[in-house]
Amino acid sequence: MTAAAFRFDPPEVAPTPALRWVLARAYAARDTALAETEGDAAAELALRFGLAARIAARQSPEQLVGELGAEAATKIRRQRSLATAQELRLLETLAAVDAAAADLRVPYAPLKGQALVLGGFAPEGGRPSSDLDLLVPEGKLDALQKELVRRGLEVAGEAYEHQAPALRHASGGVVELHRIVPGVRLEAKKSATFEALAAAELLGPPVAPMRFRPRGDLRLPRRELLAAHALAHGIAQHGLAPAAFPGFLFLA
C-alpha cells in the first residue's frame, strides 16, 4: 500500500462518561477526578479497547470497586490475571531461548510487549501479549532456530520476510525470531537489523534488575527504539486491522 493511499477515516465517537473513565484510568494521573460512570459500560469499553489489564495494573482493587462496582471491577481485574499468567509462560519460554542462545553465543533483543515489561516501561500484568518477539543477528538466526527445535520447541507457524516460523514451548508460550524490525529504518528503504541497531547504540544491556536473569547476551532496546517500533507496528503493520492489534496498545 502506498503512503498516499494509507489514510485513516475513523468515525466520530461521543465522549461518554464511560469512555472518559477508560481513557483517564488507562493514561491519566491516578488521582484524576472523574464524574460517576456506569460500571458495565466502562468495563465493556476497557475490554474492547484492550486496556482492561493496563487499568487494573494502574488502579487499586478498592478504587475500581468504588468507581465501577464489584462485578465490573472483577471483569477488569480478571484481564490482568490473564495477562500475568501469559507473561509467566513467556518468561519460561524466554528462559529456554536464553539457554540455547547462551550456548551458541547468539545475542538477542526482545521487542514489543516483553521489551516494555522487561525494560520497566509497562507494569507487570498490564499488557496482554500473545507471543515473544526476539531480534537476533541475521547470520545466526537459522542456527538458533534449529537449536530450539532440537531442544523440543515445535514449529507453530509460517515464515515471513521479517521472521522465522513461530515456535511453541512446552509451557504454551510462543516465540518468534526476527531478522529485522519491520518499519524501523536507520537508512532509506531498509528495515533495521540487530547489527545496525547495536552499532547505533540503540540496544544495550539491562540497566536495572529484571524479573528474568539472563545467562545469555540479552540486549534491551532503548526508549526511542521502542517508541519507533510501537508506531511502526501499531500504525503501518496493523493500523487497518484493529482486531489483530488494538490501537490503544501502542499508545500504552
Side-chain angles (χ1 to χ4, degrees):
M1 181 179 291
T2 65
F6 193 78
R7 291 291 182 268
F8 292 95
D9 187 20
E12 291 189 9
V13 178
T16 63
L19 179 59
R20 291 182 186 275
W21 185 92
V22 169
L23 296 180
R25 291 297 175 249
Y27 301 113
R30 289 176 171 81
D31 58 355
T32 299
L34 293 170
E36 290 188 9
T37 186
E38 202 277 310
D40 287 340
E44 180 184 352
L45 285 179
L47 268 65
R48 184 187 302 177
F49 294 160
L51 291 174
R54 177 178 174 84
I55 291 172
R58 300 182 77 242
Q59 315 299 329
S60 70
E62 295 77 15
Q63 182 176 356
L64 291 175
V65 171
E67 294 181 348
L68 302 181
E71 185 175 349
T74 297
K75 291 180 181 178
I76 288 181
R77 291 174 58 200
R78 181 174 183 272
Q79 296 305 306
R80 188 186 186 191
S81 297
L82 293 173
T84 300
Q86 179 66 354
E87 279 185 13
L88 293 175
R89 282 191 288 270
L90 294 179
L91 281 176
E92 189 171 347
T93 305
L94 179 59
V97 177
D98 176 77
D103 290 343
L104 295 181
R105 297 185 179 180
V106 177
Y108 65 93
L111 300 173
K112 296 190 293 187
Q114 289 308 296
L116 294 170
V117 173
L118 293 172
F121 299 104
E124 295 178 4
R127 184 183 180 87
S129 295
S130 59
D131 51 33
L132 176 66
D133 298 285
L134 300 177
L135 179 67
V136 299
E138 286 188 282
K140 298 185 177 182
L141 185 149
D142 288 342
L144 181 56
Q145 180 88 353
K146 291 178 181 177
E147 178 63 15
L148 291 174
V149 171
R150 190 188 71 80
R151 295 188 183 206
L153 276 74
E154 299 179 349
V155 176
E158 299 179 358
Y160 295 92
E161 178 185 4
H162 63 284
Q163 70 177 55
L167 300 174
R168 181 177 289 109
H169 185 258
S171 66
V174 174
V175 60
E176 296 174 346
L177 300 184
H178 288 240
R179 53 177 53 88
I180 58 173
V181 185
V184 176
R185 299 172 179 174
L186 299 180
E187 55 183 290
K189 299 181 180 181
K190 186 177 181 181
S191 292
T193 63
F194 183 100
E195 294 89 338
L197 292 170
E201 299 184 347
L202 289 170
L203 301 175
V207 295
M210 299 187 300
R211 295 169 64 192
F212 173 75
R213 294 184 179 181
R215 182 164 68 87
D217 187 5
L218 183 151
R219 314 279 184 90
L220 283 178
R222 302 298 187 195
R223 187 185 187 98
E224 55 269 38
L225 174 55
L226 289 171
H229 191 202
L231 290 168
H233 185 74
I235 296 177
Q237 280 189 273
H238 295 304
L240 299 180
F245 189 80
F248 286 110
L249 275 186
F250 82 83
L251 294 176

